[in-house]
Amino acid sequence: MSTYCPLPWIHLATHPQGDVSLCCRVDFNEGQGMAYDRIHPVGRHFYNLNSDNIDKTLNSESFRNVRLQMLNSEKPVACAGCYKDEDLGLVSKRMRENKIFNLSYDDLKNRTGANGEIKPRIQYAELRLGNLCNLKCRTCNPNSSSKWNAEYGKMQGDLDFVRKYDLQTDFSWAEDEVFWNDFLVHANDLQLLFVNGGEPTLITQHWVFLQKLIDLGVSGNIEIKYNINTTYLPENAFDIWKKFKKVFIGASVDDLERRNSYIRHGANWNSILKNLTLMRDAGVGLAIEQTVSVYNVFYLDEMERFCDDLKIGYGLNFVYDPDYLSLKCLPESVKPKVISKLKGRLSERWFNEVSSHLSVPQDARLWSQFKKYNHYLDKSRQESYKDVFIDFYQILQSEGL
């Protein structure tokens, strides 16, 4: 049976701190899906774009082994997620990528040396460009937002259940010309570019790189998909984007007005509304991709209606980590009230998905952690949950929560 996926041959997937993985779906447990070499007698060297070049990273020992396993019809452990999805009858990321890039087994075998080495031809890149950001969202962390550092440094000393982060991590690769010039070598092969952050609109070198693609005459072959917080757009953004084959913006907006500013601390609603309107009118693809958490689940129908009124797309992502902000922490007594509020108001597709998440039994430990975490940030930021989420807070109060 065929087990191959094109991504180990044609893909670059970076992470904010400069690490590189096979893709975003791999098993990250103990670094399984990352680019590394084994160091004898024990240990591993993990490749990092702060110090390693792209071609060497994509020919790391772990990546070479995955290619050889796939060509031998084996299922690499790092890719177990896709194979499990397929066993359940689901369409996996592996299946979708095979359909998009349409590379045969023989195509991939002919590109591959006896030891799994390839001459990289990057057709698809997912660039998570460091942690530079102008917001500190409650569902985020210092790995994805530089704004979090000072506050999180104190919080992880005060709350024993929050994940500990190394606040000295080097994220500078995303603004380093060395990386971008190294990546530019692959410009002629590039077809699909996914850009995330941090907040990628703040990364100056990213805009310089796009202009170089235009100057080389290859931009018309490339589609770009962004996740941005829509609080900031440089003046030349639209002039640059119109030179590309297609641009799609996934707008990270998690609620309306005051509620969004509470969840996504530092976000100005008037700036967001202005930029959403500018992007819609400029003709780029646009949808709000709302991150669903315990904060906003009660109000999802209002955001979908807002998107309908603005005539832009709408989609949902769900918080899984930290789990004390996920829907798993919502008390059982509250779930029927959330479902009752959304039923008939939220479109059937998203209502069914939310209902599926709410059907997972509550972990009571998580609700206590959520309250401690939220109270800590309210005090630190001089904000008040009960004054922003008024009607949902009243429901919590009525249940003695």
Side-chain angles (χ1 to χ4, degrees), residues 66-84:
V66 164
R67 293 183 195 114
L68 293 176
Q69 287 178 288
M70 287 183 172
L71 292 177
N72 198 37
S73 296
E74 299 172 19
K75 296 180 178 180
V77 173
C79 305
C82 276
Y83 302 124
K84 288 178 181 177

Side-chain angles (χ1 to χ4, degrees), residues 210-280:
L210 295 187
Q211 185 60 54
K212 288 180 178 179
L213 294 177
I214 295 169
D215 296 341
L216 287 171
V218 298
S219 58
N221 304 323
I222 300 170
E223 297 183 14
I224 310 178
K225 182 184 185 298
Y226 285 92
N227 278 135
I228 64 175
N229 63 35
T230 70
T231 60
Y232 168 75
L233 286 177
E235 291 182 4
N236 62 340
F238 295 110
D239 288 336
I240 289 177
W241 286 341
K242 69 184 181 184
K243 302 291 179 59
F244 285 81
K245 182 178 180 180
K246 185 184 295 184
V247 173
F248 178 84
I249 308 294
S252 297
V253 183
D254 289 343
D255 216 320
L256 301 176
E257 302 185 6
R258 289 181 67 202
R259 296 196 299 262
N260 187 67
S261 299
Y262 179 93
I263 299 170
R264 304 181 66 82
H265 185 84
N268 180 285
W269 181 254
N270 290 332
S271 296
I272 290 170
L273 188 57
K274 174 187 172 183
N275 289 329
L276 287 172
T277 304
L278 285 172
M279 289 185 288
R280 179 201 64 189

Side-chain angles (χ1 to χ4, degrees), residues 138 256-260 262 299 374 378 382-394 396-397:
R138 290 188 181 229
L256 301 176
E257 302 185 6
R258 289 181 67 202
R259 296 196 299 262
N260 187 67
Y262 179 93
Y299 302 96
N374 200 56
D378 272 1
Q382 297 185 322
E383 296 176 336
S384 172
Y385 177 89
K386 68 178 182 179
D387 292 338
V388 178
F389 301 88
I390 298 170
D391 34 6
F392 190 53
Y393 179 76
Q394 290 173 349
L396 297 175
Q397 287 289 97

Side-chain angles (χ1 to χ4, degrees), residues 46-64:
F46 285 91
Y47 285 81
N48 188 285
L49 296 172
N50 282 298
S51 55
D52 298 309
N53 70 39
I54 292 171
D55 285 13
K56 187 175 181 180
T57 300
L58 295 181
N59 278 308
S60 61
E61 179 184 0
S62 58
F63 279 29
R64 288 188 282 110

Side-chain angles (χ1 to χ4, degrees), residues 164-395:
K164 304 299 187 283
Y165 287 92
D166 179 2
L167 301 179
Q168 304 306 312
T169 298
D170 184 2
F171 294 90
S172 61
W173 69 274
E175 282 283 24
D176 191 336
E177 288 185 9
V178 173
F179 164 74
W180 290 103
N181 290 335
D182 195 18
F183 187 36
L184 194 65
V185 172
H186 299 277
N188 287 327
D189 294 312
L190 196 58
Q191 297 176 18
L192 181 59
L193 184 60
F194 174 78
V195 188
N196 202 339
E199 174 50 37
T201 59
L202 300 176
I203 302 296
T204 304
Q205 285 298 324
H206 139 261
W207 296 107
V208 173
F209 176 75
L210 295 187
Q211 185 60 54
K212 288 180 178 179
L213 294 177
I214 295 169
D215 296 341
L216 287 171
V218 298
S219 58
N221 304 323
I222 300 170
E223 297 183 14
I224 310 178
K225 182 184 185 298
Y226 285 92
N227 278 135
I228 64 175
N229 63 35
T230 70
T231 60
Y232 168 75
L233 286 177
E235 291 182 4
N236 62 340
F238 295 110
D239 288 336
I240 289 177
W241 286 341
K242 69 184 181 184
K243 302 291 179 59
F244 285 81
K245 182 178 180 180
K246 185 184 295 184
V247 173
F248 178 84
I249 308 294
S252 297
V253 183
D254 289 343
D255 216 320
L256 301 176
E257 302 185 6
R258 289 181 67 202
R259 296 196 299 262
N260 187 67
S261 299
Y262 179 93
I263 299 170
R264 304 181 66 82
H265 185 84
N268 180 285
W269 181 254
N270 290 332
S271 296
I272 290 170
L273 188 57
K274 174 187 172 183
N275 289 329
L276 287 172
T277 304
L278 285 172
M279 289 185 288
R280 179 201 64 189
D281 293 346
V284 299
L286 176 63
I288 283 180
E289 296 182 353
Q290 187 176 17
T291 298
V292 181
S293 69
V294 67
Y295 285 114
N296 60 7
V297 64
F298 188 73
Y299 302 96
L300 300 182
D301 58 314
E302 298 175 30
M303 176 63 86
E304 187 176 37
R305 187 163 61 250
F306 168 80
C307 291
D308 288 344
D309 291 343
L310 201 61
K311 295 182 170 53
I312 62 176
Y314 176 69
L316 299 180
N317 298 307
F318 290 82
V319 170
Y320 295 96
D321 182 23
D323 51 5
Y324 53 81
L325 300 182
S326 75
L327 300 192
K328 285 198 302 183
C329 87
L330 200 64
E332 295 296 336
S333 63
V334 174
K335 291 180 180 179
K337 294 177 171 61
V338 174
I339 291 173
S340 176
K341 162 75 168 5
L342 299 181
K343 189 176 180 64
R345 295 185 179 93
L346 189 65
S347 62
E348 183 177 5
R349 173 192 177 186
W350 297 122
F351 177 78
N352 289 340
E353 190 158 348
V354 173
S355 297
S356 176
H357 280 264
L358 290 174
S359 70
V360 176
Q362 185 212 12
D363 183 337
R365 167 186 59 93
L366 299 180
W367 181 248
S368 174
Q369 291 178 350
F370 164 71
K371 289 198 297 182
K372 290 177 182 177
Y373 174 84
N374 200 56
H375 177 72
Y376 189 98
L377 292 185
D378 272 1
K379 185 176 180 181
S380 173
R381 299 178 180 184
Q382 297 185 322
E383 296 176 336
S384 172
Y385 177 89
K386 68 178 182 179
D387 292 338
V388 178
F389 301 88
I390 298 170
D391 34 6
F392 190 53
Y393 179 76
Q394 290 173 349
I395 289 173

Side-chain angles (χ1 to χ4, degrees), residues 14-36:
T14 74
H15 295 267
Q17 63 272 42
D19 296 336
V20 174
S21 66
L22 288 159
C23 77
C24 63
R25 182 67 179 89
V26 291
D27 182 357
F28 292 101
N29 186 43
E30 297 182 354
Q32 281 284 354
M34 309 305 291
Y36 65 83

